[in-house]
Amino acid sequence: FFVFFSVSMAGGDKKKKKTKKGGNNEEGKALMAKRIGYEDMTLMENMTLDGVLSNLKDRYVEDLIYTYTSSILVAINPYKRLPIYTDAFVKQYKGVRLGKLPPHIFAIAETAYTAMIQHERNQSVLVSGESGAGKTESTKLILQFLSARTGRSSGIDKMVLASVPVLEAMGNAKTGRNDNSSRFGKLIKIQFDDDYYIIGSTMEHYLLEKSRLIFQAPGERNFHIFYQMTNGMSKEDKERYSLREAEYYNYINKSGCMTVDGMDESKELQEFREALALFDITGDLEHQMFCILASVLHIGNITFKAEGEGCALDGPDAQKELEITAELLGLTAEDLLFAISKKEIKMRSEIITKPLNAEQARNQGDALAKHLYSVLFDWLVSQLNGCTHAETYKQFIGVLDIFGFEVFTKNSLEQFLINFANEKLQQFFNNQIFKLEQVIYEQEKIDWSIIEFKDNQECLDLIEQKRPPGIISILDEESKFPRATDETFVEKLTSNLSKHANFEIPRLSRGKFNVKHFAGEVSYEVDGWREKNRDELPEHMLRILGQSKNLFTAILYSPEEIADPKGITGKSPFARRQAKKEAAGRESPRAGVTSPRSGMTSPRSAVAVGQAAKKGASKLTLGTQFKNQLQNLMDLLGSTEPYFIRCVKSNPQKIPNNFDDKLIYDQLLYAGMLETIRIRRLGYPIRWTHEDFFKRFRVISPQVAQTKNFRECAEKLALTLDMNMP
Ligand SMILES: Nc1ncnc2c1ncn2[C@@H]1O[C@H](COP(=O)(O)OP(=O)(O)OP(=O)(O)O)[C@@H](O)[C@H]1O
Ligand SMILES: [Mg+2]
């Protein structure tokens, strides 16, 4: 699935050979030489959504997938490899102004790069679109271009390129819409030095879809890595992690989908490991990582049955899985069983232990699996950042590859937060488009006060406002309040928000509320929101994990790191190794489970920095954390010069040469294309050059002489027609 480049693709050997042998540059050149329809749709006489659609179709059938609307690039997924991404194309677009050559994603990357140098300002590229539209592939193409464009093939280029597929193994999965769907959002900042060579990169990630770990809809899969391990590992490795065939594991065997067409799991795993090695994840560290990954799979098979007031392991298989998991996590089977099947209640000065019933224990096991995986994912991102980030740099180009607007049959907290992010991005987009329009009006010395523009601030207030409280604040209150229920949550929403124009409680259905988003109305179901929003493991589980004999597990859960989350970046690989060495010398006390987390000494280590930062912040709820993250993102984007790439899915069958009018129309509608058109309509929607205007209407007043100054000619002509020329 490392479609466009694996570690070796961008400027690497494999690619060079292919270009030489395949000679596909000629094909690419011939393709791009075709002139079909409007390359920039702002030049269309009357810009309507239908007009836009038919222009895009005319071009798409000729394999011209890129089209501009001013500096916004529309990219339609071709579902086939086009020969237009070779080094020859990088060279062709290098140093060329936007619009001079046919539309291409490289042209946007080039524009951002040159603007960064000329304006000495940070740049950003916002890649958006629905699942399967091509956001991640576009992101990779931008990285590929920038890496090849800047021409100095340093180790860091290679690492920046490799970081994307590393995270894909753990953060991507097959869904109904995309065989390689990113189940997290990301912002990659490519850092440049004084000479504008790539000197480093950092990555921020958003909302990993943890619920996928324990449940996948029919036909979908869990994250790729689990199949790479069960189907792709050698016999010895599988024995090392006590792994059996994929079908055995509850977390992956329920959706009826185990494989992806054309995916070779052992090859993928090998590539993943090779890429990990670039980031210092080899030997014992790699082994520890696989221990945690394997433990997640095993936890799903620790099943329970009712017994007395509580529950017991459901037979010898469950017992065996408990033992394997405990071993992998460096715990005793007894401690792990306690962690999963009991709860602790604090009563003033003492802690009382209570058994859970079978269903509750199963849920607690699921919570553990989700927590382990997400902590590992955070750690991995911070490990990559630790290896790639540059302490000092001159400027950056940020590339944002983030989930599009989502509406499912059942919409939960995840969809709500994703749609909140899209409201934010839409507002940013609108403001930018409005600003762009303003610049044109100012250049032409036209009064632009005629454009009164209303954005989606109201909907954003509904979601994120603190006082009076919006949805997130109310959810936070209800998440902290011990006696809150789904009903009290909905009641509070109703009493606070029922007058809001974008909010509605649907009649006849309980536990639901509706939000009118810019892209349509969505009905949300509130069950499980408060637990998800709290986003934490019970205290006793954290304590037990922190006492693991397995150094890596213990450090991921170490309380000192949790208390002091500073230093997320800034560690060199050497400092990390040093810290690891120090860490290796420490004792691992086996404290009684009822004692507080005492006796832990945890040296500062970059192994823990990602988790530490996350945990330090995790006293905040998921909703508030995400809200803050989004605000930081908006501040960052606001300080850059932004470019927009609107990816469009061509058809649901995921096949080449198939333009599904309805599907594409709907995407254009919600991709802000309508907003662009609307803002244009509010002002002067039809724009012709003076020359075109004069030549077209001169027949009406042939007495007006043609000179070289078409502005003057047009003015004279307009006067004879009794028209005002702005
Ligand atoms: N420019 C392109 N050329 C060829 N194929 C492409 C291109 N862009 C996308 N594809 C194809 O479409 C598939 C889906 O694209 P991609 O994974 O980038 O979608 P996405 O928008 O990131 O979706 P998600 O939100 O699910 O992560 C790719 O695996 C690839 O097969
Ligand atoms: Mg993606």
Side-chain angles (χ1 to χ4, degrees):
F1 267 93
F2 308 153
V3 180
F4 285 104
F5 50 83
S6 63
V7 177
S8 50
M9 269 188 83
D13 295 334
K14 258 195 224 165
K15 182 148 197 189
K16 273 187 196 143
K17 270 183 216 145
K18 200 169 166 199
T19 313
K20 269 186 207 156
K21 253 203 280 173
N24 55 14
N25 284 331
E26 291 314 312
E27 256 178 68
K29 271 192 209 150
L31 170 65
M32 294 298 273
K34 291 191 225 170
R35 289 284 188 273
I36 312 279
Y38 289 90
E39 291 184 344
D40 179 353
M41 297 192 288
T42 48
L43 299 175
M44 286 165 66
E45 285 184 17
N46 217 343
M47 199 178 156
T48 61
L49 215 46
D50 283 324
V52 167
L53 186 74
S54 93
N55 187 55
L56 292 175
K57 188 170 187 172
D58 292 346
R59 293 175 56 74
Y60 173 86
V61 294
E62 298 288 342
D63 282 343
L64 298 169
I65 61 164
Y66 295 119
T67 307
Y68 299 126
T69 306
S70 183
S71 59
I72 305 162
L73 180 75
V74 179
I76 306 189
N77 189 342
Y79 284 116
K80 63 179 170 187
R81 283 252 217 155
L82 298 173
I84 57 170
Y85 305 117
T86 56
D87 284 346
F89 275 90
V90 174
K91 286 205 188 82
Q92 202 187 336
Y93 278 84
K94 182 173 167 173
V96 178
R97 189 173 49 76
L98 190 78
K100 213 155 176 227
L101 288 171
H104 198 297
I105 191 161
F106 288 173
I108 297 285
E110 174 64 24
T111 309
Y113 183 73
T114 37
M116 168 176 71
I117 299 173
Q118 280 167 5
H119 309 164
E120 294 200 9
R121 278 192 67 188
N122 297 325
Q123 309 285 313
S124 58
V125 186
L126 283 78
V127 190
S128 58
E130 70 173 54
S131 180
K135 299 180 292 294
T136 304
E137 296 303 335
S138 297
T139 303
K140 290 190 228 174
L141 288 167
I142 292 167
L143 298 188
Q144 180 207 327
F145 176 83
L146 290 174
S147 161
R149 154 71 164 98
T150 54
R152 188 169 62 182
S153 189
S154 64
I156 198 76
D157 288 21
K158 211 172 165 188
M159 283 163 91
V160 171
L161 292 172
S163 62
V164 179
V166 166
L167 287 183
E168 285 194 7
M170 275 186 62
N172 285 27
K174 176 182 159 59
T175 67
R177 300 166 180 204
N178 182 358
D179 287 354
N180 186 33
S181 183
S182 322
R183 308 317 298 160
F184 65 105
K186 65 175 182 288
L187 170 77
I188 302 175
K189 272 170 39 178
I190 323 227
Q191 305 164 314
F192 295 86
D193 65 13
D194 290 344
D195 300 321
Y196 292 100
Y197 286 113
I198 295 178
I199 185 180
S201 77
T202 59
M203 176 162 356
E204 170 99 0
H205 68 291
Y206 306 91
L207 288 183
L208 178 71
E209 187 191 42
K210 287 188 269 182
S211 55
R212 180 166 300 274
L213 285 158
I214 55 164
F215 174 81
Q216 309 90 42
E220 301 204 343
R221 298 207 314 177
N222 207 319
F223 296 103
H224 294 326
I225 188 66
F226 295 117
Y227 310 87
Q228 292 178 9
M229 290 172 74
T230 49
N231 299 335
M233 269 187 166
S234 65
K235 201 162 155 273
E236 297 77 55
D237 275 341
K238 281 183 80 168
E239 271 166 22
R240 211 169 169 204
Y241 304 107
S242 307
L243 286 172
R244 297 174 53 166
E245 68 287 355
E247 287 73 14
Y248 181 69
Y249 295 102
N250 292 330
Y251 282 160
I252 54 180
N253 66 9
K254 300 273 185 282
S255 70
C257 178
M258 288 283 172
T259 52
V260 177
D261 286 346
M263 196 181 218
D264 175 347
E265 319 276 19
S266 62
K267 198 167 140 255
E268 299 284 328
L269 182 68
Q270 196 193 335
E271 285 180 351
F272 176 58
R273 286 177 132 165
E274 282 168 12
L276 283 183
L278 288 176
F279 301 96
D280 262 9
I281 303 172
T282 52
D284 193 45
L285 195 52
E286 190 211 49
H287 166 64
Q288 304 266 351
M289 203 177 129
F290 280 122
C291 282
I292 297 207
L293 289 170
S295 75
V296 169
L297 266 191
H298 289 291
I299 288 170
N301 283 37
I302 307 177
T303 47
F304 294 92
K305 61 178 182 211
E307 192 179 87
E309 260 183 61
C311 63
L313 287 165
D314 188 13
D317 282 351
Q319 174 69 37
K320 179 121 197 293
E321 290 297 319
L322 175 81
E323 283 160 17
I324 293 170
T325 313
E327 174 76 29
L328 288 167
L329 291 176
L331 304 171
T332 62
E334 201 191 356
D335 283 355
L336 180 62
L337 184 61
F338 181 92
I340 299 179
S341 64
K342 299 278 194 296
K343 72 172 170 186
E344 284 183 354
I345 302 168
K346 276 195 191 124
M347 304 281 274
R348 268 181 238 118
S349 59
E350 55 174 346
I351 294 171
I352 295 173
T353 305
K354 286 229 161 155
L356 296 177
N357 67 30
E359 194 196 337
Q360 289 167 331
R362 186 56 266 139
N363 290 341
Q364 196 144 289
D366 290 347
L368 174 61
K370 287 192 276 189
H371 206 267
L372 282 167
Y373 196 84
S374 75
V375 160
L376 187 66
F377 193 80
D378 290 347
W379 169 80
L380 184 62
V381 173
S382 85
Q383 178 79 5
L384 302 196
N385 282 338
C387 292
T388 54
H389 92 284
E391 205 95 39
T392 53
Y393 58 93
K394 169 126 183 172
Q395 234 96 52
F396 70 79
I397 299 181
V399 188
L400 183 72
D401 167 7
I402 205 162
F403 20 67
F405 188 73
E406 272 185 5
V407 193
F408 296 142
T409 332
K410 176 176 170 158
N411 300 294
S412 187
L413 181 62
E414 291 85 349
Q415 281 69 49
F416 174 73
L417 294 178
I418 285 173
N419 293 341
F420 167 39
N422 278 279
E423 287 283 355
K424 278 267 185 205
L425 291 167
Q426 184 66 22
Q427 185 180 50
F428 182 72
F429 177 76
N430 289 348
N431 289 341
Q432 291 299 325
I433 295 300
F434 190 55
K435 263 191 219 155
L436 275 180
E437 195 71 359
Q438 232 168 283
V439 169
I440 295 171
Y441 276 58
E442 271 161 16
Q443 274 168 0
E444 296 285 321
K445 301 198 176 52
I446 299 171
D447 177 15
W448 51 268
S449 62
I450 44 167
I451 308 182
E452 250 183 59
F453 170 62
K454 187 168 170 286
D455 69 2
N456 56 342
Q457 186 59 46
E458 275 181 22
C459 187
L460 281 166
D461 288 346
L462 169 72
I463 297 172
E464 64 174 344
Q465 189 164 281
K466 272 198 166 154
R467 296 264 167 271
I471 298 171
I472 292 181
S473 291
I474 296 172
L475 173 63
D476 278 2
E477 266 174 43
E478 290 293 282
S479 304
K480 281 174 206 145
F481 188 55
R483 269 179 302 202
T485 60
D486 290 347
E487 283 74 36
T488 61
F489 176 39
V490 175
E491 273 164 28
K492 270 210 176 147
L493 288 175
T494 316
S495 61
N496 282 281
L497 304 170
S498 57
K499 291 202 186 76
H500 197 290
N502 294 62
F503 182 87
E504 196 180 65
I505 295 284
R507 284 190 198 164
L508 304 174
S509 52
R510 295 176 64 189
K512 287 187 183 176
F513 69 91
N514 296 355
V515 175
K516 286 189 194 109
H517 289 288
F518 74 93
E521 183 157 346
V522 181
S523 184
Y524 296 103
E525 296 183 33
V526 304
D527 58 294
W529 282 39
R530 285 166 303 113
E531 294 79 45
K532 281 182 190 169
N533 191 42
R534 279 196 290 272
D535 191 34
E536 59 187 16
L537 275 189
E539 181 92 352
H540 75 287
M541 291 180 103
L542 290 172
R543 186 182 63 231
I544 290 170
L545 287 161
Q547 289 164 353
S548 160
K549 298 208 287 290
N550 176 338
L551 183 70
F552 188 69
T553 314
I555 287 180
L556 288 180
Y557 286 89
S558 118
E560 279 75 10
E561 295 295 347
I562 292 165
D564 175 19
K566 277 187 230 121
I568 178 151
T569 53
K571 299 257 167 168
S572 68
F574 174 75
R576 273 196 307 281
R577 270 195 290 270
Q578 196 65 14
K580 241 171 25 193
K581 236 162 100 188
E582 282 167 26
R586 108 183 146 79
E587 296 261 304
S588 182
R590 312 285 314 139
V593 285
T594 48
S595 70
R597 302 175 193 157
S598 59
M600 288 290 296
T601 51
S602 170
R604 165 152 297 288
S605 156
V607 174
V609 288
Q611 166 60 6
K614 178 82 190 292
K615 291 299 296 181
S618 78
K619 278 160 220 127
L620 296 176
T621 59
L622 181 69
T624 297
Q625 265 182 64
F626 186 60
K627 185 174 114 179
N628 295 345
Q629 234 190 340
L630 270 187
Q631 196 48 54
N632 290 340
L633 174 65
M634 291 301 133
D635 293 345
L636 182 131
L637 294 177
S639 72
T640 64
E641 295 178 348
Y643 301 85
F644 298 93
I645 298 181
R646 296 300 202 181
C647 295
V648 175
K649 189 168 176 161
S650 45
N651 61 80
Q653 297 84 14
K654 303 177 250 181
I655 50 171
N657 309 323
N658 185 355
F659 189 96
D660 185 320
D661 289 62
K662 169 89 177 75
L663 181 78
I664 295 174
Y665 185 94
D666 287 348
Q667 290 172 80
L668 294 174
L669 194 64
Y670 297 128
M673 212 46 75
L674 195 66
E675 217 46 59
T676 322
I677 295 171
R678 211 169 66 81
I679 292 174
R680 282 280 293 272
R681 286 255 171 84
L682 288 168
Y684 293 98
I686 302 170
R687 281 150 207 209
W688 290 14
T689 62
H690 293 115
E691 182 175 348
D692 285 347
F693 176 82
F694 179 73
K695 288 184 173 164
R696 175 95 173 250
F697 294 108
R698 194 180 169 202
V699 280
I700 308 174
S701 296
Q703 73 275 20
V704 182
Q706 176 173 340
T707 67
K708 274 190 189 151
N709 187 340
F710 281 105
R711 188 184 166 95
E712 242 173 52
C713 298
E715 250 164 3
K716 281 184 191 153
L717 181 61
L719 280 174
T720 68
L721 301 176
D722 244 2
M723 273 172 70
N724 269 335
M725 277 270 298

